PDB file of all heavy atoms in Angstrom:
ATOM      1  N   HIS H  10     -10.679  20.239  23.518  1.00  0.00           N
ATOM      2  CA  HIS H  10     -10.466  19.004  24.278  1.00  0.00           C
ATOM      3  C   HIS H  10     -11.822  18.390  24.611  1.00  0.00           C
ATOM      4  O   HIS H  10     -12.805  19.110  24.793  1.00  0.00           O
ATOM      5  CB  HIS H  10      -9.723  19.268  25.604  1.00  0.00           C
ATOM      6  CG  HIS H  10      -8.335  19.771  25.429  1.00  0.00           C
ATOM      7  ND1 HIS H  10      -8.036  21.089  25.203  1.00  0.00           N
ATOM      8  CD2 HIS H  10      -7.140  19.109  25.427  1.00  0.00           C
ATOM      9  CE1 HIS H  10      -6.732  21.239  25.094  1.00  0.00           C
ATOM     10  NE2 HIS H  10      -6.161  20.064  25.225  1.00  0.00           N
ATOM     11  N   VAL H  19     -19.581  11.017  19.526  1.00  0.00           N
ATOM     12  CA  VAL H  19     -19.001  12.350  19.613  1.00  0.00           C
ATOM     13  C   VAL H  19     -19.119  13.052  18.260  1.00  0.00           C
ATOM     14  O   VAL H  19     -19.094  12.404  17.204  1.00  0.00           O
ATOM     15  CB  VAL H  19     -17.517  12.277  20.046  1.00  0.00           C
ATOM     16  CG1 VAL H  19     -16.640  11.640  18.972  1.00  0.00           C
ATOM     17  CG2 VAL H  19     -16.984  13.650  20.419  1.00  0.00           C
ATOM     18  N   THR H 114     -10.208  12.150  24.280  1.00  0.00           N
ATOM     19  CA  THR H 114      -9.783  11.082  25.177  1.00  0.00           C
ATOM     20  C   THR H 114     -10.985  10.208  25.466  1.00  0.00           C
ATOM     21  O   THR H 114     -12.048  10.714  25.885  1.00  0.00           O
ATOM     22  CB  THR H 114      -9.234  11.647  26.497  1.00  0.00           C
ATOM     23  OG1 THR H 114      -8.138  12.523  26.211  1.00  0.00           O
ATOM     24  CG2 THR H 114      -8.765  10.531  27.417  1.00  0.00           C
TER      25      THR H 114
END
Side-chain angles (χ1 to χ4, degrees):
Chain H
H10 295 83
V19 68
T114 302

